[in-house]
Amino acid sequence: RKLLKEGGSLIRLVVNEIIRSNVDFVLVSGDLTKDGELVNHLQVADLLSQLTEKGIRVYVVPGNHDVNNPGAFRYEGEQAIPVPSVSHAEFSEIYQAHGYGDALYKDANSLSYVAALDDSLWLLALDTCRSEENKPGGTEIVGGKLVEKQEKWIEEMLAKARQEKKAVIVLAHHGIHEHFE
């Protein structure tokens, strides 16, 4: 279901294709790992570094499986063995070279940030996950939302962009507009 056997080969293939494509930057909208396993985040960050080493900037946001996930496991045959997931602080540290280190502004209440893609374009990278609601041994919260503090921060960033005459594109894991009830 999650392409456990093929995932590593597929991401290496994608990285090589991106390098050959001659793009300026790549936006990754989350679900960087199977279920937030620390070891997998370190591997993904290392693969993404191959892009940055070639001058291709990479910007990530967390997906609903990436942070504080109670379902982080490794497998020995049929046995699932719990392994460390990453915290919010660890996620931003691991991906310093992939958006968080270049952020012009960071939201103090989430993993959201603003980065300059060029002189006239800003990226509003939104953490729409509810990972702070996940509890050890519990069921993973997969739905997304923006809380009031985030909405206020977003409004401030959009006002600042307008003031500085910057166009803005948004990167988020979850859809911002509800597409079904």
Side-chain angles (χ1 to χ4, degrees), residues 11-135:
I11 194 169
R12 284 188 290 279
L13 176 69
V14 168
V15 165
N16 289 331
E17 287 296 316
I18 291 170
I19 289 169
R20 284 194 289 276
S21 73
N22 199 31
V23 299
D24 293 326
F25 58 86
V26 173
L27 307 178
V28 184
S29 62
D31 283 353
L32 296 147
T33 64
K34 180 186 76 62
D35 285 311
E37 298 86 357
L38 172 61
V39 65
N40 292 343
H41 277 298
L42 295 172
Q43 291 171 345
V44 169
D46 187 53
L47 284 166
L48 294 177
S49 291
Q50 292 177 24
L51 298 174
T52 57
E53 288 167 6
K54 298 290 185 181
I56 302 169
R57 292 172 291 147
V58 178
Y59 300 91
V60 304
V61 291
N64 53 313
H65 298 292
D66 287 325
V67 178
N68 195 30
N69 191 327
F73 295 102
R74 69 179 174 84
Y75 298 92
E76 289 184 12
E78 297 291 318
Q79 185 179 11
I81 300 164
V83 297
S85 181
V86 298
S87 67
H88 290 87
E90 290 168 323
F91 185 89
S92 65
E93 181 61 33
I94 290 168
Y95 295 103
Q96 277 292 301
H98 312 299
Y100 289 95
D102 295 333
L104 300 172
Y105 305 99
K106 293 181 183 179
D107 178 24
N109 300 296
S110 72
L111 287 168
S112 300
Y113 63 93
V114 172
L117 298 178
D118 65 28
D119 291 340
S120 62
L121 181 62
W122 279 4
L123 172 67
L124 179 59
L126 298 178
D127 174 7
T128 58
C129 300
R130 297 167 52 195
S131 53
E132 70 283 349
E133 297 177 40
N134 287 333
K135 304 295 180 229

Side-chain angles (χ1 to χ4, degrees), residues 148-164:
E148 189 174 332
K149 287 179 181 180
Q150 275 180 292
E151 291 173 1
K152 183 175 172 29
W153 180 80
I154 291 167
E155 289 172 2
E156 290 171 6
M157 293 300 101
L158 292 174
K160 190 175 285 290
R162 178 176 290 141
Q163 178 184 3
E164 296 189 27

